[in-house]
Amino acid sequence: MGSLWFIAFAIMILHHSNGVTGSERVPALFVFGDSLVDVGNNNFLSSIAKSNYFPYGIDFNMQPTGRFSNGKTFVDIIGEMLGVPYPPPFADPNSVGVKLLGGVNYASAAAGILDESGQHYGERYSLSQQVLNFESTLDQLRTMIGRNLTNFLAKSIAILVFGSNDYINNYLMPSIYSSNYTYTPSEFGNLLLNRYARQLLALYSLGLRKFFIAGIGPIGCIPNQRASGQAAPGRCVDNVNEMLGTFNQGAKSMVDQLNMRPGAVVAYGNTYGAVGDILNNPTAFGFNVVDKGCCGIGRNQGQITCLPFAYPCPNRNQYVFWDAFHPTQAVNAILARRAFYGPLLDSYPINIQQMTLIN
């Protein structure tokens, strides 16, 4: 009897260690977005927006992977909470066959909702291209899963993190892009929402049903923007943050619209509010440096981003920003927890954990 008990216990441990309990409910995680959630797609593209060098990844097994962080991204941590493996980058030639069964990451540094955003960096998968890439994954999944694909996609979760580059690497660069002359901030926000909604409907029509759509954080507070000299020392660039209102409020309304579709379960992540809370009361969250990158050069360590083999700050958990543009792993962990467990103010109208309980 004792040996039978031991075998049963061993099976239970194996079951849990593989994250099977989570992945039964959420079989796969599909990630669409920009450098905030890129896990190495740009390593395989002809782009200067790359992070496949040290000290990126210094807290990720001391190994650069193409993640734009010292450690884990927001979606890495969400994946751990869901009990699914890290979705592999779509562009990796090894991302084929059974590796796709836990989901795929399509995110690409410098990518925007608009095809032209970030084009001065070279190749990247824009939102529309990421949707096409997802279609090609479906062709492979169909051969493996067959008629169960509909149920598999309906239970899977898609996370989308877009919009920052449409501002940082488009609207706020009038010397390269014309959008600033063509549209008022509110017109530009509405243009982004219209394009975004179109692609979200395409993903819905392809079979995805559960979506977590992250809003844009206060990009006027990133070291790159603080280093622009447009704000007083210690201040964020307020007019940049104010531009984002149309998009973030509109994204929340877009979620309400999408939830009216049969089977759709869509949530909006209040990134702006969550990062704002950290910046407004950093010591409560364990941070003491809010205005500089941990790795970077120039004013606010934000004029030139983290270069190969640069020496980063040793106290990385006390920094909000890792480099000129991206948060540290410590911030990503807070954002992930708030998206997963948070109240309505953090994740509207439900959080990711609640999303997993809906069949």
Side-chain angles (χ1 to χ4, degrees):
M1 188 71 187
S3 61
L4 275 175
W5 180 87
F6 177 78
I7 290 166
F9 182 73
I11 289 169
M12 188 177 81
I13 291 292
L14 281 169
H15 199 63
H16 279 269
S17 65
N18 288 333
V20 175
T21 45
S23 55
E24 281 171 350
R25 186 160 270 151
V26 179
L29 181 60
F30 293 98
V31 181
F32 305 84
D34 54 30
S35 58
L36 292 166
V37 288
D38 187 349
V39 294
N41 278 304
N42 276 35
N43 294 355
F44 302 92
L45 301 179
S46 179
S47 167
I48 55 171
K50 281 183 164 70
S51 60
N52 56 346
Y53 54 82
F54 201 77
Y56 285 95
I58 189 171
D59 299 308
F60 194 95
N61 304 327
M62 287 287 283
Q63 201 178 349
T65 56
R67 287 167 170 80
F68 287 76
S69 178
N70 58 306
K72 296 169 187 172
T73 69
F74 165 76
V75 290
D76 289 330
I77 299 163
I78 294 285
E80 289 172 356
M81 290 170 162
L82 290 171
V84 296
Y86 297 152
F90 171 83
D92 187 336
N94 296 311
S95 297
V96 291
V98 292
K99 284 189 178 177
L100 309 180
L101 291 172
V104 179
N105 185 309
Y106 305 92
S108 176
I113 294 167
L114 304 180
D115 289 341
E116 61 271 23
S117 294
Q119 65 188 6
H120 59 287
Y121 282 105
E123 280 187 299
R124 69 244 165 270
Y125 296 142
S126 65
L127 169 59
S128 61
Q129 184 60 51
Q130 289 182 36
V131 173
L132 293 173
N133 293 346
F134 173 69
E135 282 195 65
S136 72
T137 299
L138 287 187
D139 292 337
Q140 289 190 66
L141 288 174
R142 208 169 276 115
T143 61
M144 290 186 282
I145 302 176
R147 66 178 68 169
N148 288 329
L149 183 62
T150 302
N151 189 43
F152 172 87
L153 291 175
K155 286 186 168 183
S156 297
I157 288 180
I159 293 180
L160 294 99
V161 181
F162 279 101
S164 297
N165 285 310
D166 295 291
Y167 288 91
I168 298 167
N169 291 307
N170 185 333
Y171 197 73
L172 296 173
M173 279 193 171
S175 60
I176 301 177
Y177 299 92
S178 62
S179 56
N180 198 292
Y181 308 112
T182 313
Y183 304 101
T184 65
S186 61
E187 287 170 347
F188 188 70
N190 286 321
L191 171 72
L192 297 180
L193 290 164
N194 287 333
R195 298 283 175 88
Y196 208 174
R198 199 179 301 166
Q199 297 301 335
L200 284 161
L201 289 173
L203 291 171
Y204 174 87
S205 70
L206 291 167
L208 289 173
R209 291 293 177 267
K210 295 182 177 182
F211 299 89
F212 180 85
I213 299 164
I216 304 174
I219 54 177
C221 298
I222 63 175
N224 163 268
Q225 289 297 307
R226 289 185 193 252
S228 67
Q230 293 179 54
R235 296 282 309 160
C236 299
V237 185
D238 292 336
N239 71 308
V240 168
N241 285 340
E242 285 160 12
M243 285 178 190
L244 309 175
T246 302
F247 179 87
N248 282 336
Q249 288 155 23
K252 199 173 172 185
S253 303
M254 183 171 71
V255 161
D256 286 332
Q257 297 284 312
L258 290 167
N259 276 323
M260 293 166 77
R261 293 185 172 261
V265 183
V266 191
Y268 167 76
N270 181 13
T271 315
Y272 192 97
V275 175
D277 286 350
I278 295 168
L279 294 173
N280 290 329
N281 196 2
T283 51
F285 294 91
F287 300 104
N288 58 28
V289 185
V290 301
D291 60 344
K292 295 182 179 69
C294 169
C295 185
I297 296 172
R299 192 187 298 137
N300 299 84
Q301 277 82 58
Q303 286 176 294
I304 298 173
T305 200
C306 190
L307 296 174
F309 300 102
Y311 286 103
C313 63
N315 51 335
R316 294 181 283 281
N317 284 343
Q318 293 172 27
Y319 274 68
V320 172
F321 295 102
W322 160 246
D323 62 12
F325 301 96
H326 306 99
T328 53
Q329 174 179 275
V331 169
N332 285 332
I334 293 168
L335 298 181
R337 279 199 303 273
R338 291 179 74 154
F340 203 85
Y341 300 114
L344 272 175
L345 194 63
D346 288 339
S347 188
Y348 167 88
I350 58 170
N351 60 38
I352 294 176
Q353 185 185 42
Q354 291 163 337
M355 196 182 280
T356 66
L357 302 174
I358 296 171
N359 285 326

Coordinates of all heavy atoms in Angstrom, one line a residue, residues 9 11 41 74 89 99 131 139 158 166-167 181 207 210 213-214 225-226 273 277 286 291 308 312 320 326 329 351:
F9 N 1.8 9.8 -5.4 CA 2.3 11.1 -5.0 C 3.3 11.6 -6.0 O 3.3 12.7 -6.4 CB 3.1 10.9 -3.6 CG 3.7 12.2 -3.1 CD1 2.8 13.2 -2.6 CD2 5.0 12.4 -3.1 CE1 3.4 14.4 -2.1 CE2 5.6 13.6 -2.6 CZ 4.8 14.6 -2.2
I11 N 3.3 10.8 -9.2 CA 2.6 11.3 -10.4 C 2.0 12.7 -10.2 O 2.0 13.5 -11.1 CB 1.4 10.3 -10.7 CG1 2.0 9.0 -11.3 CG2 0.4 10.8 -11.8 CD1 1.1 7.8 -11.4
N41 N 12.5 37.7 -31.1 CA 12.1 37.7 -32.6 C 13.1 38.6 -33.4 O 13.5 38.2 -34.5 CB 10.7 38.2 -32.8 CG 9.7 37.1 -32.6 OD1 9.8 36.0 -33.2 ND2 8.8 37.2 -31.6
F74 N 7.1 41.0 -18.7 CA 5.7 41.0 -18.2 C 5.1 39.6 -18.6 O 4.5 39.0 -17.7 CB 5.0 42.2 -18.8 CG 3.5 42.1 -18.7 CD1 2.9 42.4 -17.5 CD2 2.7 41.9 -19.8 CE1 1.5 42.4 -17.4 CE2 1.3 41.9 -19.7 CZ 0.7 42.1 -18.5
P89 N 9.9 32.4 -29.6 CA 9.8 33.5 -30.6 C 9.4 32.9 -32.0 O 10.0 31.9 -32.4 CB 11.2 34.1 -30.7 CG 12.1 33.2 -30.0 CD 11.3 32.3 -29.1
K99 N 6.7 22.4 -30.3 CA 7.0 23.6 -29.5 C 6.0 24.6 -29.6 O 5.9 25.6 -28.8 CB 8.4 24.1 -30.1 CG 9.6 23.4 -29.6 CD 10.8 24.1 -30.0 CE 12.1 23.4 -29.6 NZ 13.3 24.0 -30.0
V131 N -0.3 39.4 -37.0 CA -1.5 38.6 -37.3 C -1.3 37.6 -38.4 O -1.8 36.5 -38.3 CB -2.7 39.6 -37.6 CG1 -3.9 38.9 -38.0 CG2 -2.9 40.5 -36.4
D139 N -1.8 27.1 -39.4 CA -1.7 26.0 -40.4 C -0.9 24.8 -39.8 O -1.3 23.7 -40.0 CB -0.9 26.5 -41.6 CG -1.7 27.5 -42.4 OD1 -2.9 27.5 -42.3 OD2 -1.1 28.3 -43.2
A158 N -4.6 35.4 -25.4 CA -3.7 36.2 -26.2 C -3.5 37.5 -25.4 O -4.4 38.1 -24.9 CB -4.4 36.6 -27.5
D166 N 4.2 53.7 -31.5 CA 3.5 54.6 -32.4 C 3.7 56.1 -32.0 O 3.5 57.0 -32.8 CB 2.0 54.2 -32.5 CG 1.8 52.9 -33.1 OD1 2.1 52.7 -34.3 OD2 1.5 51.9 -32.4
Y167 N 4.0 56.2 -30.7 CA 4.3 57.5 -30.2 C 5.8 57.8 -30.2 O 6.3 58.7 -30.9 CB 3.8 57.7 -28.8 CG 2.3 57.9 -28.8 CD1 1.4 56.7 -28.6 CD2 1.6 59.1 -29.0 CE1 0.1 56.8 -28.7 CE2 0.3 59.2 -29.0 CZ -0.5 58.1 -28.9 OH -1.9 58.2 -28.9
Y181 N 2.4 66.3 -38.0 CA 1.8 67.4 -38.7 C 0.4 67.1 -39.3 O -0.4 68.0 -39.5 CB 2.7 67.8 -39.9 CG 4.2 67.9 -39.6 CD1 5.2 67.0 -40.0 CD2 4.6 69.0 -38.8 CE1 6.5 67.2 -39.6 CE2 5.9 69.2 -38.4 CZ 6.9 68.3 -38.9 OH 8.2 68.4 -38.5
G207 N -10.2 32.6 -34.5 CA -10.6 31.7 -33.4 C -10.2 32.0 -32.0 O -10.6 31.4 -31.1
K210 N -10.0 34.9 -25.9 CA -9.6 35.5 -24.7 C -8.4 36.5 -24.9 O -7.4 36.0 -25.4 CB -9.3 34.5 -23.6 CG -10.5 33.6 -23.2 CD -10.1 32.6 -22.1 CE -11.3 31.8 -21.7 NZ -11.0 30.9 -20.6
I213 N -5.5 43.2 -23.3 CA -5.0 44.3 -24.1 C -4.4 45.3 -23.1 O -5.1 45.9 -22.3 CB -6.1 44.9 -24.9 CG1 -6.6 43.8 -25.9 CG2 -5.6 46.1 -25.7 CD1 -8.0 44.2 -26.5
A214 N -3.1 45.5 -23.1 CA -2.4 46.4 -22.2 C -2.5 47.8 -22.8 O -2.3 48.0 -24.0 CB -1.0 46.0 -22.0
Q225 N 12.7 60.0 -22.6 CA 11.9 61.3 -22.7 C 12.3 62.3 -21.7 O 12.4 63.5 -22.0 CB 10.4 61.0 -22.5 CG 9.8 60.2 -23.7 CD 9.8 61.0 -25.0 OE1 9.3 62.2 -25.0 NE2 10.3 60.4 -26.0
R226 N 12.7 61.9 -20.5 CA 13.2 62.8 -19.5 C 14.5 63.4 -19.9 O 14.8 64.6 -19.6 CB 13.5 62.1 -18.1 CG 12.2 61.6 -17.4 CD 12.6 61.0 -16.1 NE 11.5 60.3 -15.4 CZ 10.9 60.7 -14.3 NH1 11.2 61.9 -13.8 NH2 10.0 60.0 -13.7
G273 N -1.9 53.5 -15.1 CA -2.2 53.6 -13.6 C -1.2 52.9 -12.8 O -0.8 53.4 -11.7
D277 N 1.4 54.6 -10.2 CA 1.4 54.3 -8.8 C 2.8 54.1 -8.3 O 3.2 54.6 -7.2 CB 0.6 53.0 -8.4 CG -0.9 53.3 -8.5 OD1 -1.3 54.4 -8.6 OD2 -1.7 52.3 -8.5
G286 N 9.4 49.5 -3.0 CA 10.8 49.1 -2.9 C 11.7 49.7 -3.9 O 12.9 49.2 -4.0
D291 N 14.0 58.0 -12.1 CA 14.2 58.9 -13.3 C 15.4 58.5 -14.2 O 15.7 59.2 -15.1 CB 14.3 60.3 -12.8 CG 15.5 60.5 -11.9 OD1 16.0 59.5 -11.3 OD2 15.8 61.7 -11.6
P308 N 26.5 47.2 -25.6 CA 27.1 45.9 -25.2 C 28.2 46.0 -24.2 O 29.1 46.9 -24.3 CB 27.7 45.4 -26.6 CG 26.8 46.1 -27.6 CD 26.4 47.4 -27.0
P312 N 26.0 47.8 -15.8 CA 24.7 48.2 -15.2 C 24.8 48.5 -13.7 O 25.8 48.2 -13.1 CB 23.7 47.0 -15.5 CG 24.6 45.8 -15.4 CD 26.0 46.3 -15.9
V320 N 13.3 51.6 -11.3 CA 12.1 51.4 -12.1 C 12.4 51.0 -13.5 O 11.8 50.1 -14.1 CB 11.2 52.6 -12.0 CG1 10.0 52.5 -13.0 CG2 10.7 52.8 -10.6
H326 N 12.8 50.7 -21.1 CA 12.1 49.5 -20.6 C 12.2 49.4 -19.1 O 13.2 49.8 -18.5 CB 12.7 48.3 -21.3 CG 12.7 48.3 -22.8 ND1 13.8 48.7 -23.5 CD2 11.7 48.1 -23.7 CE1 13.5 48.7 -24.8 NE2 12.2 48.4 -24.9
Q329 N 12.9 44.0 -14.4 CA 12.2 42.8 -14.0 C 11.3 43.0 -12.8 O 10.2 42.5 -12.7 CB 13.1 41.6 -13.8 CG 12.4 40.4 -13.3 CD 13.4 39.2 -13.0 OE1 13.8 38.5 -14.0 NE2 13.9 39.1 -11.8
N351 N -9.9 40.3 -14.4 CA -8.4 40.1 -14.5 C -8.1 38.7 -15.2 O -9.0 38.0 -15.5 CB -7.8 40.2 -13.1 CG -8.3 39.2 -12.1 OD1 -8.6 38.0 -12.5 ND2 -8.5 39.6 -10.8

